[in-house]
Amino acid sequence: MTEPAAIRNFSIVAHIDHGKSTLADRLLLRCGAVTEREFQDQMLDSMDIERERGITIKAQTVRLDYTARDGKAYVLNLMDTPGHVDFAYEVSRSLAACEGSLLVVDASQGVEAQTLANAYQAIDAGHEIIPVLNKIDLPSAEPERVCREIEDVIGIDTSDAARVSAKTGQGIDELLEAMVARLPAPKGDRDATLKAMLIDSWYDPYLGVVTLVRVKDGMLRKGQRIRMMATGAVYDIDTVGVFTPKPRDVAELGPGEVGFIIAGIKTIADCKVGDTITDDRKPATEPLAGFKPSVPVVFCGLFPADAAEFEQLRESLSKLRLNDASFHFEPETSAALGFGFRCGFLGLLHLEIVQERLEREFDLDLVTTAPSVVYRLTMTDGSSRALHNPADYPDPMKITSMDEPWIKATIIAPDEHLGSVLTLCQERRGVQLDLTYAGSRAMAVYKLPLNEVVFDFYDRLKSVTRGYASFDYEMAGYEEGELVKLAILVNSEPVDALSIIVHRAQAETRGRALCERLKELIPRQLFKIAVQAAIGGRIIARETISPMRKDVLAKCYGGDISRKKKLLEKQKKGKKRMRQFGEVEIPQSAFIAALKMDSR
């Protein structure tokens, strides 16, 4: 066990691509946690999907041993966190387990929207923050300008900011010295009753549930009987260990230490992120504060392509939920798709990642419905209800009003792209709240309806600013809107999965664009297919997919015209019957593609 005075718990927070994972790699190498031979880029990004996309999805922890210049030995517990807005919940959990943060800022790009959001999260968590200017080896680096920007925009003193290059290793020794000198040591009493916070957990097919914990008070030992305070579940600890970054068994964990425990936990529901673990024989009276529960903002239905895989999907979702506490799901049924689950996500990238993880890690073939946000309906009888799925939209005559969620968005973009950004926000029914400058870059604060942002706003923003804009948002409550349900009919049959809620003023434009897009995406059949958009019983847009034509006259070499007419008439009747009874298969790729209308 290490004395709390020699421990430093810290997380690395930054905007996407500002070098968090590279800095974590460099610290691992410098502290001897990995050898040059074992080293590879993105050491802490363990999932294939993280390496392929070059982003961090899961917050990872690693224990580093460091001997300072004065000869004292320290234990550094590092938490590498994601930078994308959809994984902000991972960041908040990591911050709760630490006392300090390294705020990494790109020395050429400066402060971005997520830099701002993560810095405020760290300040709210009561952290000591060390500003770190990364990429100072670049010819375009402007450390003085970026220091002024950090002071002006965030309000953190940068007189002793660390200047490093995570890629070359420049300034890393000075950063480590600053960390042991400036970051506070954790507080805790080893003789007090055990209190440990459950930070994260994941399912291992050989070991069962592996739980990541941060000990606040008391001791965690092998063989100890523990109790989960939220669920009351009791287990005996089989293994206590730390990640260095490989798992290493230790005899015990004391106050301030971060490590993992394996206790033969089979029931996934017993591990709630943010729960307090205590000693079963001498339990704590009060649990730790835990985490604020995450609030999903985007919902969609996940259905197995083969109905027989429903139970496998349920089990896979439970295992994934264990590893991703910001993901929610509940069972639902659909007339077209059968039994499945209504799932809640923190954003569209989060949805994509979960879907891809289910397909890769659990070998599932899934059908996904169109993503939607949660609306609040006030009914004529005075009751109110939440609408998660446009397919459940009640009779419009029974609705008094309908409220939609709004967000407060912060967009930072170069001055020359400001016009495009403002136009995009206006198109999406945005209301400007503030417009300020940080050096040569504009910072626009807008109020926007979430359903206008959720599909392709981020992609559009990147394209109109040539990739230079950064975007962050927080929820700003509900407001009443003039909203209608836009239904899509294919061959006169409503397609539940493509129903969306839109603002009345944009219904016709959106309906027409959806029909045009579906005309390209739905494969042609041997009969004519009508693709229509409707509000209630009124058709507002229509496109026709022309049929593939079989040449029934190919065998007629000359001969009487009446014979040809007879064959054509027979074909016409056949097509009419096919149109009446024929089913149109809409490919899975069409669902999400149809909604990204502006990205063409």
Side-chain angles (χ1 to χ4, degrees), residues 202-210 262 264-266 322:
W202 56 93
Y203 190 82
D204 185 291
Y206 303 105
L207 305 168
V209 178
V210 181
I262 299 168
I265 301 169
K266 299 284 189 297
L322 184 71

Side-chain angles (χ1 to χ4, degrees), residues 250-426:
V250 293
E252 57 187 18
L253 290 173
E257 292 194 278
V258 177
F260 67 87
I261 57 169
I262 299 168
I265 301 169
K266 299 284 189 297
T267 314
I268 288 166
D270 286 349
C271 285
K272 282 195 163 66
V273 167
D275 194 1
T276 302
I277 296 172
T278 189
D279 193 308
D280 185 47
R281 293 181 182 84
K282 196 174 78 171
T285 50
E286 286 288 311
L288 297 164
F291 309 119
K292 275 194 302 189
S294 69
V295 180
V297 295
V298 180
F299 285 82
C300 85
L302 288 180
F303 295 85
D306 177 0
E309 289 180 354
F310 176 73
E311 279 307 320
Q312 189 191 340
L313 175 61
R314 185 201 294 276
E315 202 175 299
S316 305
L317 289 172
S318 300
K319 287 175 182 174
L320 194 66
R321 168 88 173 88
L322 184 71
N323 187 225
D324 185 351
S326 54
F327 165 60
H328 296 254
F329 67 93
E330 57 186 41
E332 78 160 353
T333 54
S334 155
L337 301 167
F339 291 99
F341 293 90
R342 190 88 192 140
C343 303
F345 307 91
L346 296 183
L348 216 60
L349 177 66
H350 189 203
L351 186 159
E352 269 182 57
I353 296 293
V354 167
Q355 189 184 340
E356 204 163 324
R357 282 185 70 185
L358 284 167
E359 286 173 354
R360 283 182 186 209
E361 294 174 27
F362 302 101
D363 197 25
L364 288 164
D365 190 7
L366 299 172
V367 175
T368 315
T369 62
S372 69
V373 298
V374 184
Y375 299 94
R376 286 185 187 156
L377 307 178
T378 306
M379 313 305 283
T380 48
D381 62 2
S383 64
S384 62
R385 58 188 271 193
L387 178 70
H388 291 255
N389 189 345
D392 301 332
Y393 189 78
D395 180 355
M397 300 304 290
K398 294 179 180 173
I399 301 171
T400 309
S401 65
M402 190 167 174
D403 297 354
E404 62 179 328
W406 284 64
I407 60 165
K408 182 182 170 190
T410 306
I411 300 165
I412 298 177
D415 193 27
E416 65 265 29
H417 297 303
L418 181 61
S420 309
V421 170
L422 299 185
T423 307
L424 176 65
C425 291
Q426 296 292 344

Side-chain angles (χ1 to χ4, degrees), residues 116-135:
L116 211 61
N118 289 340
Y120 289 151
Q121 267 192 307
I123 292 165
D124 289 345
H127 279 201
E128 177 66 39
I129 297 173
I130 300 178
V132 180
L133 301 187
N134 190 20
K135 308 189 187 181

